[in-house]
Amino acid sequence: MQITQREVRGVIILDLEGRLVLEDGVTPFVELMNALGHRGGTRILLNFEKVTYLDSAGVGAVAWKYVTVRKRNGDVKLLNLHPKSHTVLKTTKLLTVLESFESEDAAIDSFVDRDDDEDTNPIFT
Amino acid sequence: MRVLKFGGSSLATPDRIRDVVRIVLDEARREPLIVVVSAFQGITNQLLDSARLAESGDRRYEQEWASIARRHRSAIDDLVGPRRGRRTRVAADALLADLHDALHGVQLLGHCPPRALDVVASFGERLSALIVAAYVHRFRPARFADAREFVITDDQFTRANVIFSRTNRASRRYFAPLLRGRRRVIPIVTGFIGSTVDGRTTTIGRNGSDYTGAIVGAAVGASVIEIWTDVDGVLSADPKAVPAAFVLPQISYEEAMELSYFGAKVLHSAAIAPAVAKGIPLLIKNTFNPAAPGTLISKSTGDQGHPAKGISSVGDLTLLTIRGLTMVGVPGIAERLFRALAARQVNVILISQASSEHTICFAVQTSDAAAAVQAIHDEFRFEFHNRLTAVDEKSGQMILAVVGEGMKGRPGVAGEVFGALGRNNINISAIAQGASERNISCVIDASHQVRALNAIHQAFFETRKSLALVIIGVGNIGGTLLQQLHDQHSYLRAQGFDVKVIGLANSKRYVLSADGIGLARWRETLMASRRRMDARALAGELARLELTNAALVDCTADASIVDAYPAFVDANLHIITPNKRANVLPWRRYSALMDLLRARRKHFLYEANVGAGLPIMSTLRDLIASGDEVAKVEGIFSGTLSYLFNTFDGRTPFSALVKDAHRMGLTEPDPRDDLSGQDVGRKLLILARQMGSQLDIQDVRVDSLVGVDDTAMQRRLERARSRGAVLRYVGVLEGDRARAEMREFPRDHPFAGTKGSDNIIAFTTKRYSRTPLVVQGPGAGADVTAMGVFSDILKLLHYLPQ
């Protein structure tokens, strides 16, 4: 798996290319996410446009790193899920929580707009 | 076509769902319906709790889920039956499995963003609509309608905004085939939920099911939107504070919004906006009392003769006043103030500025007060530094709002509000009235909430006058009074008076019940009480009840009760008493009590102090009030002495007559109390003070008969007879001179003709100068004294404002 890193308006975009599976992409993905998430407050957009396959280890890695980054006050969102990846993530109900977008601009806007707003739940009050 | 919306409390149990469906089927016979349902009672909270638990990694979310699943499955079994309900059960199980997975996802990722929360919360309505639809379908064709298919919103999760253009189109498209022709079905719509354009689940805020009802009703052009809930309609006030609150048959949209803004619970103003925009009437109905007509909310106010429609209140406020000379005539001060407050997200609830511009006063939630004060200090730091501005903070305040279309252009409404509060000793800290004149708001101390709401309610809505009595002393006079009140209950009601006894006390114990004490068994109720009598404790307890229109009736001769009068007056009670002690207090204490009564606007009535039930005090008061000049008041004021002198003919010694009278119970326990003439002296003092004199008891000259022997009395009698006269013991009040003494009266004088223990009092005035105005009759005895007290109660009822 190849991972290209770029930054738009303070959001780190990882363009993933290839298979995110146990024997291939999971390890470099986890290492890169660890490095990025380490400093805290990092906003990461995972672009799945060129991901050809996602196995259970890949789903687990995404979920695991989502939790790690959020613990350091960062956030992770998904972009351009293929129907196949979408189905896998939907089946595991992770998409109830993980936010996914089909447009890069909308995804980046959502980081910027909702930065302070994410945890206010008025229906709890 | 009608839209019927049922809230969670209407769907709390299968039996309640049966009641709901009975209503639905009944209405469906008349015209096509759309039914909107909330989640079963308590389910939304349970769903949100389970999401919180899952987010924090607490496995108890599983228990919550299991409890939610059990409740819905058991409702299906109960309503549709295990066999017939198989398809419903499968559909519900699929929803419950999805809910479980969603919660599991939240638990795995340790995070529940608003988006996920909306998904979790949506299951409440989806399950309830599914089950209600299945049950209705047993009787008439019905269909589960998922609002996410036609209520289209933006992605502000947990408080999504409805996109009306899309929603209206989608709703019309969705419902048209369902409501037409022979294939008509009853759609059972999920309240509270919607979806974004790209299909993500959203919720539209608490009260969202009302909102769904209004959205759908407006989209399809319903003739009426019925909101079925657990109260009979919109009430004139909160019934917990105002027992006399009643259901308003009809109010306007604006009145409904004003009332809901100020705390009325039935509707949220935002929730009815779509119906208001289309002019669709809303009908508030009670699921538990379908026969009640409910409240119609429409364009029309449906004037029922009341200028005000309702009274509402918002509590827990702080009133802030910014003041300073630099504010006078300087443009932009208000702009600076409110900009600074807005920047700190402080919501200002009420604003009032005096035209002198010296102060600006505004109310905020107490939780915002610190931020507001800080904002003011930051914005006006120059002015504070130079001591040109100051800010005052008054916490523990509330806003009381009187709402009604009929107040517009009607003079005197504000006066009525402030008069009612003033009569009940409630100070107003700030006032605001919008230019619409639909609402008058005032800020008062929150501790007076109950009293204020009741005072205004009485002033605007209650045609009957109510009076709560606290009777201390339940012996001869008090007991007789209670019997009279019991016997005359129907008469008083017929006169428009609601008199109830809320407190009773004897020297040992007291009992208090704000709802009233049954007079048929008052003795048992008092005997059963464990509260030890302590007048001040009783007054304190009464103060906490925040009473309006209440009176203390002191039927004792006890000085300690009189000592506590100020505490009762402070508790907002009028005072009625046959007890003479207060009226003969030393002048300084007496005048202090009178000043307090005046300051608190409380009545002090004591007709039975003189002449028991005879109209002595009221006659004197009326003579003075009508401008007559009283030259002399003279009379036989003692029933005991009246009897003794009426009977004393020389054949029996005077001392033997006293013994007989004592035996017959016509004297005080110690007859010297009568013979001393002190009681007559006290009555003269009471009359003198009523006439404006500042006498004290030592200023009244009293000739005592104690120690006068039989021979001397015999000699006085014979001397009087030789002059064609009789002996009488009288009290005479002339100017500032008061004396009580034995005197001779010619046989043709009215005082000579008295019988038994009669009292007789003659008023010589400018108008009654040749022949005095004479009042005569029995002046002692429990029956007539209680009647004197009763007449004071009636007087007080007449004095109370309508």
Side-chain angles (χ1 to χ4, degrees), chain B residues 60-382:
Chain B
R60 277 178 302 173
Y61 83 84
E62 294 268 15
Q63 291 165 22
E64 289 290 338
W65 176 86
S67 139
I68 292 166
R70 251 195 322 275
R71 187 155 161 210
H72 288 95
R73 284 171 181 154
S74 115
I76 295 168
D77 289 348
D78 197 325
L79 293 166
V80 198
R83 276 185 51 204
R84 208 181 321 190
R86 198 171 298 141
R87 277 178 60 192
T88 313
R89 179 82 183 240
V90 168
D93 280 348
L95 285 175
L96 289 165
D98 278 355
L99 169 63
H100 189 271
D101 288 346
L103 290 170
H104 186 54
V106 168
Q107 189 241 329
L108 280 177
L109 297 177
H111 184 219
C112 187
R115 194 163 23 83
L117 204 56
D118 274 358
V119 170
V120 171
S122 73
F123 284 96
E125 273 70 13
R126 288 157 70 190
L127 284 160
S128 78
L130 178 77
I131 294 167
V132 172
Y135 182 56
V136 174
H137 195 71
R138 285 183 56 184
F139 310 98
R140 269 185 93 114
R143 185 195 286 186
F144 166 75
D146 191 333
R148 293 176 303 170
E149 293 186 42
F150 48 86
V151 175
I152 311 300
T153 72
D154 65 9
D155 61 357
Q156 293 262 326
F157 296 99
T158 73
R159 51 184 166 195
N161 300 297
V162 175
I163 304 168
F164 280 97
S165 52
R166 286 174 182 269
T167 300
N168 289 346
R169 266 200 312 275
S171 299
R172 282 194 285 268
R173 220 173 21 241
Y174 186 92
F175 289 107
L178 302 182
L179 300 171
R180 234 186 269 132
R182 278 192 299 163
R183 296 197 154 189
R184 195 164 87 193
V185 298
I186 303 174
I188 312 292
V189 180
T190 55
F192 183 52
I193 64 174
S195 71
T196 60
V197 177
D198 57 358
R200 286 175 293 164
T201 300
T202 54
T203 62
I204 52 178
R206 281 284 164 116
N207 298 299
S209 294
D210 289 349
Y211 196 24
T212 306
I215 292 164
V216 170
V220 300
S223 59
V224 64
I225 298 163
E226 297 181 4
I227 309 281
W228 288 80
T229 176
D230 53 5
V231 293
D232 278 345
V234 179
L235 289 158
S236 54
D238 180 355
K240 280 193 215 104
V242 182
F246 58 91
V247 175
L248 299 164
Q250 192 175 357
I251 55 175
S252 70
Y253 294 128
E254 288 79 6
E255 287 168 336
M257 287 194 190
E258 296 268 10
L259 283 170
S260 75
Y261 178 79
F262 284 104
K265 302 286 186 293
V266 173
L267 278 181
H268 192 275
S269 53
I272 63 172
V276 177
K278 285 275 178 75
I280 300 170
L282 293 125
L283 182 61
I284 311 294
K285 293 276 289 178
N286 189 351
T287 315
F288 309 112
N289 184 16
T295 300
L296 185 70
I297 304 173
S298 65
K299 280 181 190 161
S300 159
T301 179
D303 188 15
Q304 295 115 38
H306 298 302
K309 275 297 174 54
I311 306 161
S312 216
S313 60
V314 186
D316 202 15
L317 302 180
T318 293
L319 192 66
L320 294 166
T321 306
I322 175 165
R323 59 188 161 82
L325 286 173
T326 48
M327 293 165 54
V328 181
V330 179
I333 295 279
E335 189 268 335
R336 281 174 64 196
L337 170 65
F338 294 113
R339 186 167 33 76
L341 293 170
R344 292 213 178 219
Q345 315 229 308
V346 173
N347 181 32
V348 177
I349 294 165
L350 172 145
I351 304 163
S352 172
Q353 182 180 20
S355 55
S356 69
E357 301 181 37
H358 181 234
T359 61
I360 300 174
C361 153
F362 59 97
V364 300
Q365 292 283 352
T366 295
S367 54
D368 284 342
V373 171
Q374 192 55 51
I376 295 168
H377 276 274
D378 291 349
E379 177 63 34
F380 295 91
R381 54 188 173 277
F382 171 79

Side-chain angles (χ1 to χ4, degrees), chain B residues 415-641:
Chain B
E416 191 96 44
V417 173
F418 306 141
L421 294 176
R423 280 192 298 275
N424 286 281
N425 297 306
I426 297 162
N427 185 41
I428 301 170
S429 308
I431 298 162
Q433 179 178 17
S436 73
E437 297 184 49
R438 198 181 290 125
N439 173 338
I440 296 175
S441 303
C442 35
V443 179
I444 61 168
D445 199 294
S447 62
H448 294 317
Q449 180 180 20
V450 172
R451 196 195 297 177
L453 286 170
N454 278 284
I456 307 253
H457 200 267
Q458 280 158 7
F460 280 97
F461 298 110
E462 294 170 32
T463 49
R464 305 181 65 78
K465 287 186 181 180
S466 60
L467 179 63
L469 299 175
V470 177
I471 300 177
I472 304 184
V474 290
N476 263 349
I477 298 172
T480 309
L481 174 67
L482 283 162
Q483 190 59 49
Q484 289 178 357
L485 286 168
H486 185 46
D487 294 345
Q488 294 305 102
H489 183 253
S490 307
Y491 170 82
L492 289 168
R493 278 198 67 79
Q495 297 295 309
F497 301 134
D498 290 328
V499 178
K500 62 180 176 183
V501 175
I502 62 157
L504 282 176
N506 58 20
S507 58
K508 294 192 179 66
R509 50 178 69 90
Y510 71 88
V511 63
L512 208 54
S513 164
D515 298 332
I517 294 164
L519 294 187
R521 295 174 56 82
W522 65 265
R523 276 179 217 281
E524 290 83 343
T525 310
L526 179 58
M527 287 304 288
S529 173
R530 297 212 170 152
R531 282 133 129 175
R532 216 160 56 84
M533 179 53 183
D534 173 339
R536 284 178 198 285
L538 173 57
E541 219 173 311
L542 287 164
R544 284 190 288 282
L545 288 179
E546 286 288 319
L547 298 166
T548 54
N549 291 2
L552 167 73
V553 183
D554 172 16
C555 293
T556 70
D558 189 342
S560 71
I561 308 296
V562 174
D563 291 343
Y565 279 4
F568 287 104
V569 174
D570 282 336
N572 208 31
L573 272 77
H574 303 279
I575 295 177
I576 296 172
T577 183
N579 181 354
K580 288 187 275 291
R581 283 184 184 270
N583 269 325
V584 299
L585 284 168
W587 174 255
R588 277 180 62 176
R589 277 190 63 197
Y590 169 80
S591 58
L593 176 63
M594 295 303 120
D595 287 346
L596 178 70
L597 286 157
R598 256 191 303 278
R600 298 275 187 270
R601 301 188 194 205
K602 292 285 134 325
H603 292 283
F604 179 42
L605 300 168
Y606 44 87
E607 182 63 71
N609 271 198
V610 181
L614 297 179
I616 307 297
M617 300 312 305
S618 52
T619 302
L620 180 59
R621 206 176 292 135
D622 291 347
L623 286 169
I624 296 167
S626 65
D628 205 349
E629 288 169 24
V630 180
K632 185 161 85 171
V633 182
E634 184 180 32
I636 297 170
F637 292 99
S638 161
T640 310
L641 293 175

Side-chain angles (χ1 to χ4, degrees), chain A residues 62-64 66-67 70 75 91-101 114 117-125, chain B residues 48-49 52 98 101-102 105-106 108-109 111-119 155 157-159 192 200 203 205-206:
Chain A
V62 171
W64 175 29
Y66 174 84
V67 174
R70 281 199 60 83
D75 202 359
T91 308
T92 56
K93 294 293 167 190
L94 293 181
L95 282 184
T96 309
V97 179
L98 286 169
E99 205 170 353
S100 80
F101 295 88
R114 303 283 174 77
D117 204 27
E118 190 74 357
D119 275 329
T120 56
N121 297 324
I123 57 174
F124 270 128
T125 58
Chain B
L48 298 176
D49 287 346
R52 276 274 189 253
D98 278 355
D101 288 346
V106 168
L108 280 177
L109 297 177
H111 184 219
C112 187
R115 194 163 23 83
L117 204 56
D118 274 358
V119 170
D155 61 357
F157 296 99
T158 73
R159 51 184 166 195
F192 183 52
R200 286 175 293 164
T203 62
R206 281 284 164 116

